[in-house]
Structures are given as C-alpha cells and as structure tokens.
Amino acid sequence: MREPGSTKQRTRDRVLLLLLLAGLAWLPLRAWQKGERAERRDREAGAADGSHGVLERNQEFGARFLAGKDPYFDPLFEPDRGRRKSGEPPSGGRVHGPYPPSLAWMAAPLALLPTPLARLVWASLQSAALLFCLWVGRVWTLRWRPQQAHDYAWAFAGALLLAGRYLLRDTASGGGNLVYTALALAGLELSFRDRHLLAGLPLGLGLALKPSLAPLLLFFAARRRWREVGSALALGAALFALPGLYFGPAAYTRLAGEWARTVLAFTSQVDLHDHSATPQGLPAARFAMNQSLREALFRLFRPPTSDLQAYQIGRANV
C-alpha cells in the first residue's frame, strides 16, 4: 500500500528532474550563443582578435604548447589593460598563471577544435558534470540520510538557485569548476565504496589540471586512507610530468619552475591591493572575481592601510 502523498511526491520530483534536464540541455546552447555574441562585439569594436573567456584562453594556451612556444606568454595581452585594440603595438604578457603546464592535457585537445565546436563540447561536459553531482548527492543522501531523501530534489534545486549566478558565468565563459567538482566527488565516492586505488585516479587528474583539489588529500590522510593519497599523488605526478616528453624535458622543467615560483609568490603576497607585488599572470585585485574565497576574505579583513579603491570591481563583469 502506498504511503499518503507518495504519488504527489514522485510527480513533484519528476517535474523537477525534467526542469533540470531542460536546463542542462540549455547550458551548452547558451554558452555557444554568448560566445558568438562576444566574438561579434569584439570584431565590431576592432579588437585584435575575437578571444573571449576562459575557454578561448585555454585554446590559446594549448595551441602555444603544441607549437613548442611558452604557453603562458600571450603576445596580444596588455598586463594593465587586458587585450589590446587593433592599431596599438603589442607588448605581450603572462596569462593563466594559476594553472600548471600540465593543463595541456585539457587545453591541447581544445586547441585542435574550432572555437564554436570546442565551446559546445566543453559546455556539454560541464552539463554532464552537473548531472553527476546531482547523482552523487542523491546517492549520499540515500546512504546517510534516507529519512531526508524525499527533500533532496528541493535541496538540490535550492543550491542551484544560490549558486546560479556563478554557475551561469562559469559555463558561459568555459570555466572548469564544475568539472573539477565532479572529479573531487568521483574520488570521494570511490573511496566510500572502498575502491581505494581507483579513488586516486580522478583526484590525480584534477591535481594535474589545477591543484585546488589538494586539500582533499588532507581529508584522506586524516582518515588514514593512504592508498587514495598514494594513488592520487602518483597519477598526479605522472600526468604533471608526461607533457614534458612532447614539449622537451629541459624547456618543460623551466615552465614548471616558473609556474611554481609565480604561485608561491602570489600565495605569500600580504596586501592583495598592492598591484606591484602581484606576479604577472595572476589576477590583480581590481580584476578579482567575487567567488574567490581568498579575495572575499581579504575584502572582509583587509588592512586599514590598503587601497580601498582597488576593490571597486566592475559589476558588469561579475
């Protein structure tokens, strides 16, 4: 015999699922449309090229890597003003400073695709990552809080509403945060299923692309899950080093060393408002994104001597 309200609850969950699936199908189309409009605006404004957003910068990073050039040096970048306009002499500058040179695992394949196709492919991968996050959350709710499982659909929908602004921005520009989140959740779920060595595989890939998943290793170490830590470090190290076989060991070692020095200098910077201390290739405070935890904490606890005008972040870009 069915419990009272069970039919209504299932109907409600199905409606929410259909709405989510419709949204996931819409995200790649939205990303493609916004990218095309941005490129059209750049061309009409006379920009030197149509590059716009994280995905295009990833493509350029990959293209320079495949050509054997310094992937961090963009010849069309103006460190103080962003991309130059046509007619201005190029000066060039470093970009993509937070990312290790092993980002080539993701950037090089994207560089081989036309930008519209790359945008569709990457946005589709972002949608798949979000769907995976939905599935993992459902599994964890049924495993540890089965009595609240009937509210999971609403809780996930509420989380999407809270994070919607940043999700839309990240998917439109071609960011990787959803993909990195899916890799982290995959590692955790495999570990919870006692697939200890396999759990390190998605984490190792995430570490090679962007080391922001490193705190998860502390979580596994605290739980004495050493096989997860070992497999993640081993695969991460292998994926970090292997692109050097293509780029050239000596040149790749120089890239890796410069990246490490730049990141360490940025993490040790005390006053984020001091633009002169921000290493080139890392975001200065005036270009910082509001979803950055480090920037948000600094705005909250900023030193009284810091330049308050530096954080007048353009709202149009947030």
Side-chain angles (χ1 to χ4, degrees):
M1 183 175 181
R2 292 180 180 176
E3 297 179 4
S6 61
T7 302
K8 182 182 294 185
Q9 176 183 316
R10 284 195 295 270
T11 302
R12 179 197 66 184
D13 291 347
R14 287 168 183 165
V15 170
L16 285 175
L17 180 59
L18 287 174
L19 289 175
L20 175 63
L21 292 176
L24 292 176
W26 170 70
L27 284 178
L29 178 61
R30 177 180 180 270
W32 179 79
Q33 289 176 333
K34 288 183 72 69
E36 291 298 304
R37 286 198 297 268
E39 289 182 2
R40 188 161 53 248
R41 285 196 304 268
D42 285 342
R43 288 193 295 268
E44 292 172 354
D49 55 53
S51 297
H52 179 83
V54 178
L55 182 132
E56 286 79 4
R57 291 197 294 273
N58 286 340
Q59 283 189 294
E60 294 167 355
F61 185 101
R64 290 192 292 268
F65 185 92
L66 291 174
K69 302 177 181 178
D70 183 351
Y72 293 101
F73 183 79
D74 184 347
L76 300 179
F77 186 78
E78 290 285 354
D80 294 326
R81 290 175 291 165
R83 287 190 165 275
R84 70 183 178 96
K85 301 298 182 182
S86 57
E88 296 181 356
S91 63
R94 287 182 62 82
V95 296
H96 259 20
Y99 297 91
S102 49
L103 180 71
W105 286 108
M106 178 181 72
L110 290 174
L112 299 176
L113 299 176
T115 297
L117 178 58
R119 190 176 291 120
L120 282 173
V121 169
W122 188 252
S124 298
L125 183 60
Q126 290 174 311
S127 294
L130 184 57
L131 187 60
F132 178 77
C133 294
L134 169 68
W135 175 78
V136 170
R138 176 72 175 174
V139 169
W140 290 359
T141 303
L142 290 172
R143 181 182 298 157
W144 292 305
R145 292 289 187 272
Q147 63 274 21
Q148 275 89 44
H150 61 281
D151 292 324
Y152 174 73
W154 287 103
F156 193 84
L160 287 182
L161 287 176
L162 289 174
R165 187 179 188 185
Y166 300 114
L167 284 175
L168 290 175
R169 174 174 180 166
D170 199 51
T171 53
S173 65
N177 292 315
L178 277 173
V179 176
Y180 303 139
T181 300
L183 290 173
L185 294 182
L188 288 170
E189 175 59 14
L190 287 169
S191 178
F192 295 148
R193 292 176 181 232
D194 293 328
R195 308 297 296 273
H196 302 290
L197 294 178
L198 286 178
L201 300 184
L203 296 178
L205 176 58
L207 289 173
L209 297 178
K210 191 177 182 181
S212 53
L213 296 187
L216 274 179
L217 299 181
L218 300 178
F219 169 80
F220 286 124
R223 294 176 61 90
R224 298 183 181 277
R225 293 183 175 253
W226 303 114
R227 281 177 288 182
E228 284 89 333
V229 175
S231 62
L233 289 176
L235 181 66
L239 290 176
F240 181 86
L242 282 174
L245 297 179
Y246 175 88
F247 198 77
Y252 190 79
T253 300
R254 286 194 296 271
L255 284 183
E258 181 63 25
W259 166 75
R261 287 189 294 271
T262 299
V263 171
L264 287 175
F266 185 61
T267 56
S268 61
Q269 184 178 343
V270 177
D271 188 351
L272 300 186
H273 290 166
D274 184 3
H275 306 316
S276 63
T278 302
Q280 193 177 117
L282 276 297
R286 61 183 179 274
F287 300 130
M289 299 172 69
N290 275 339
Q291 61 262 46
S292 167
L293 178 61
R294 185 174 185 237
E295 304 288 349
L297 290 175
F298 189 82
R299 283 199 301 275
L300 183 62
F301 301 108
R302 58 186 170 223
T305 57
S306 61
D307 178 11
L308 300 183
Q309 296 300 317
Y311 266 99
Q312 299 301 316
I313 302 171
R315 290 180 173 83
N317 295 325
V318 177

